[in-house]
Amino acid sequence: MANTSSRTLRLLSLLQTHRHWPGPELCGRLGISERTLRRDIDRLRELGYPVGAARGTDGGYQLAPGAVLPPLLLDDEEAVALAVGIGDAAQSGIAGIEDASLRALTKVVRVLPPRLRARVDALRAMTVSASAAGPAVAAGVLTAVAQACRDEERLRFGYTARGSAATEREVEPHRVVALGGRWYLVAYDLDRHDWRSFRLDRLTGPTATGARFLSRPLPAGDAAAFVREASGAPAPYTVEVLVHAPSARVRRTVGRWGTVEPVDRDSCRLTMTSTSLDWPTQALGNVGAEFEVLGPPEFAAHLREWGARFLRAAPQDRS
């Protein structure tokens, strides 16, 4: 019984991560026969999970919207709070959390009933957050696009570029990128026969077509680099300094905008990432302690320029 229960939970987890699963692939993942798979699917339906099935060469199973949230058994208020919180976490600037947050948001929103999705979208649109300062993107749009990227499934949507009329696009989605407080889709545009980046706040009605595709080579090092180049955004600097002050003091001043690693009781290593060198300069001024620049060279030159400017502005002591 315990083995059956754990297998059913594993099946539920798989159904949540993909829009559609062919039956043989599910059997292979779970190590079971098609007959056992059908019994497990029926068990999920008895528990209230609407699992759809399709026959034929393209047949398989998918979890339809409207299921309760398993296995946490969250109430409505908790589910909405969780979805909004995960959406903000994906744009928090914390290294390594973006992809995990987006995967979690995709799972949660996919099983939210429509009435709760509407509440999530309204909260994200009307809430100003320090971690998500850019335009709000509907949770349904974000998760639909992310799911199409994961499943390598062609996507149709309406798009309104800046200063242009609305157009209909069909693309091969590649990756979703959070950059500079905004969400972007990197995709191959089938009508324009070229790679494009699309802002998700300008994208409406994303619909997966059901047509699969083979991934094309991206003409950039990664999706974030492609968006940065397409938008004209400068590459970020990673500033490293040795600060002669206790790590707790530096952390109170810099907060989550930098990574503080203690070296000893009276010094620490501070790392900050920014597209502008002005902000790290201001942050170090606020710390009010001696420090040494470990890199990059551009930051040392920037500090010398600031220092010379301040010296010229300060009145000379006549005595």
Side-chain angles (χ1 to χ4, degrees):
M1 182 66 182
N3 183 52
T4 300
S5 299
S6 59
R7 188 180 67 238
T8 303
L9 285 176
R10 171 66 176 152
L11 171 61
L12 182 58
S13 177
L14 290 172
L15 290 171
Q16 287 178 329
T17 58
H18 279 274
R19 181 173 179 270
H20 177 271
W21 279 97
E25 191 171 351
L26 278 177
C27 290
R29 290 291 188 103
L30 297 169
I32 58 176
S33 66
E34 290 189 10
R35 182 178 180 183
T36 301
L37 174 62
R38 287 194 295 271
R39 284 203 303 264
D40 288 348
I41 292 291
D42 289 339
R43 187 174 293 109
L44 286 177
R45 289 168 176 159
E46 291 170 0
L47 293 172
Y49 301 110
V51 182
R55 298 182 180 277
T57 55
D58 295 325
Y61 300 92
Q62 67 182 62
L63 186 62
V68 296
L69 284 172
L72 299 176
L73 302 178
L74 302 175
D75 61 28
D76 286 2
E77 301 298 329
E78 292 169 336
V80 170
L82 180 64
V84 172
I86 294 173
D88 280 351
Q91 290 180 282
S92 65
I94 302 173
I97 202 173
E98 296 93 341
D99 289 344
S101 299
L102 187 53
R103 289 197 304 271
L105 184 63
T106 301
K107 286 185 177 182
V108 171
V109 174
R110 182 158 178 75
V111 294
L112 282 179
R115 58 188 173 81
L116 294 188
R117 289 193 194 186
R119 289 178 60 185
V120 170
D121 292 343
L123 273 173
R124 286 182 55 79
M126 300 307 296
T127 302
V128 177
S129 168
S131 62
V137 176
V141 169
L142 182 59
T143 55
V145 171
Q147 198 74 40
C149 291
R150 175 187 289 272
D151 293 345
E152 295 186 337
E153 189 172 356
R154 287 183 178 178
L155 192 68
R156 289 197 190 101
F157 52 83
Y159 191 72
T160 306
R162 185 176 181 180
S164 303
T167 57
E168 292 294 321
R169 304 293 184 97
E170 183 169 347
V171 304
E172 295 176 353
H174 178 69
R175 288 290 186 276
V176 174
V177 176
L179 184 66
R182 291 184 172 90
W183 287 104
Y184 297 87
L185 165 65
V186 174
Y188 186 83
D189 193 316
L190 294 170
D191 293 324
R192 289 152 181 81
H193 306 289
D194 198 6
W195 287 91
R196 292 286 191 273
S197 64
F198 302 93
R199 275 178 47 174
L200 293 197
D201 57 296
R202 296 175 177 170
L203 186 153
T204 59
T207 304
T209 67
R212 301 298 180 92
F213 63 89
L214 294 177
S215 182
R216 303 171 188 260
L218 182 68
D222 56 39
F226 180 84
V227 172
R228 196 176 292 114
E229 182 178 344
S231 62
Y237 296 97
T238 299
V239 171
E240 292 185 290
V241 294
L242 179 64
V243 184
H244 298 290
S247 59
R249 171 183 164 186
V250 176
R251 193 174 288 112
R252 282 195 303 269
T253 303
V254 177
R256 67 179 182 84
W257 303 107
T259 301
V260 180
E261 302 173 273
V263 174
D264 53 41
R265 287 180 55 188
D266 300 316
S267 63
C268 60
R269 180 190 294 265
L270 172 62
T271 304
M272 296 172 283
T273 301
S274 174
T275 56
S276 169
L277 293 175
D278 289 341
W279 184 85
T281 303
Q282 294 169 15
L284 286 165
N286 291 336
V287 171
E290 298 291 326
F291 62 89
E292 302 170 36
V293 176
L294 303 178
E298 294 90 342
F299 184 57
H302 192 74
L303 288 177
R304 286 193 292 270
E305 180 186 341
W306 268 52
R309 190 182 311 140
F310 283 125
L311 284 174
R312 289 193 299 268
Q316 295 184 1
D317 186 351
R318 296 295 182 181
S319 63

